[in-house]
Amino acid sequence: MATVLLLGGTGEARRLASVLLPAHRVISSLAGRVADPALPVGEVRVGGFGGAEGLAGYLRAERVDAVVDATHPFAARMSDNAAQACAAAGVPLVVLRRPGFEARPGDDWRHVPSLDAAAELLPALAERVFLTTGRQGLSHFAHLSSRWFLVRCVDPPVPPVPPRLEVVLDRGPFTVEGEIGLMRRHDIGVLVTKDSGGAMTAAKLEAARALEIPVVVVDRPPATPGVPVLPSVEEVAARLPGLLAAPK
């Protein structure tokens, strides 16, 4: 029985674990940044590996036959570590990455390359901001004392955070109607989001379109060169037999 390591706690990673079991031994690795994560089936480990070298050692110790990087599209450091570790340990790697968002008629999107660039753009757009980029990046907006922020995250954020801040603790999926109601209640003037993709987070974009609210979209970091990127669980599952059969 082949051993497959799944990196990431995304919905796609959980679904892939269900698809691969029981034909394979599946180990899902979660970063541990969420206090009460949704757990996949199969074996689960939580926490870091100690960089690329630590991950390479883990791959050898557990006799991992293939790695699927199903981390969040913005987990660039983990993806780079995975590529280095798999190259060092001689383990095949494939990336499962859902497609990004696509603008539709009526959208008013401003693409930026980083959270810092998003923060620079906000003063020219609106005073009341719906910030949906995750609690880890709030420090990039902490200096904007003249803006009011609505932040939604699973766990409470830690400082530094913007001084004028209201936090909603919630976990998706969200509905378009619910997002429209939330933005109206808080008189939101601009939405800030990462290009994470996925149906679970697309409702806020449809709500912004309906309310004619501009959206600042933080573009994804570039993919690791040389590593195949597949957009769906089904395509990864179809590719996996070839990866496992490839000479090491």
Side-chain angles (χ1 to χ4, degrees):
M1 180 181 292
T3 297
V4 180
L5 175 65
L6 304 185
L7 301 174
T10 59
E12 290 85 0
R14 294 192 297 273
R15 193 155 68 88
L16 182 59
S18 297
V19 169
L20 297 183
L21 285 169
H24 304 85
R25 178 195 176 201
V26 177
I27 308 172
S28 295
S29 176
L30 311 184
R33 292 176 180 164
V34 177
D36 185 24
L39 296 179
V41 296
E43 300 178 40
V44 178
R45 69 173 303 281
V46 178
F49 292 95
E53 184 177 348
L55 177 53
Y58 179 88
L59 298 179
R60 298 185 186 101
E62 292 293 330
R63 299 183 180 275
V64 173
D65 296 291
V67 176
V68 179
D69 174 6
T71 56
H72 190 276
F74 284 80
R77 180 177 298 178
M78 186 66 242
S79 292
D80 287 344
N81 285 345
Q84 295 177 44
C86 287
V91 176
L93 168 67
V94 65
V95 174
L96 169 56
R97 191 74 78 239
R98 57 183 177 250
F101 297 128
E102 292 187 7
R104 293 170 52 186
D107 286 327
D108 179 9
W109 289 8
R110 324 292 172 89
H111 286 271
V112 294
S114 66
L115 291 176
D116 287 332
E120 290 180 11
L121 195 59
L122 287 181
L125 294 177
E127 180 184 354
R128 298 178 69 82
V129 183
F130 186 16
L131 187 59
T132 64
T133 55
R135 67 188 181 100
Q136 300 292 330
L138 293 185
S139 61
H140 296 268
F141 302 88
H143 63 288
L144 295 177
S145 58
S146 64
R147 306 296 99 176
W148 181 91
F149 289 89
L150 175 67
V151 170
R152 182 172 61 203
C153 44
V154 177
D155 294 322
V158 296
V161 298
R164 301 171 63 198
L165 176 71
E166 181 169 336
V167 177
V168 174
L169 298 180
D170 203 356
R171 189 197 303 265
F174 304 104
T175 66
V176 177
E177 293 76 14
E179 299 289 66
I180 289 175
L182 181 67
M183 293 186 199
R184 280 179 171 161
R185 284 195 303 275
H186 294 281
D187 193 23
I188 296 300
V190 61
L191 168 68
V192 182
T193 185
K194 292 179 176 178
D195 185 16
S196 56
M200 194 171 84
T201 56
K204 60 191 173 187
L205 297 173
E206 295 189 38
R209 184 186 311 120
L211 297 172
E212 299 183 346
I213 292 174
V215 181
V216 179
V217 180
V218 182
D219 290 332
R220 295 178 175 188
T224 304
V227 179
V229 179
L230 301 177
S232 70
V233 168
E234 292 74 18
E235 291 187 57
V236 171
R239 174 75 69 91
L240 197 58
L243 292 177
L244 294 172
K248 305 240 180 118

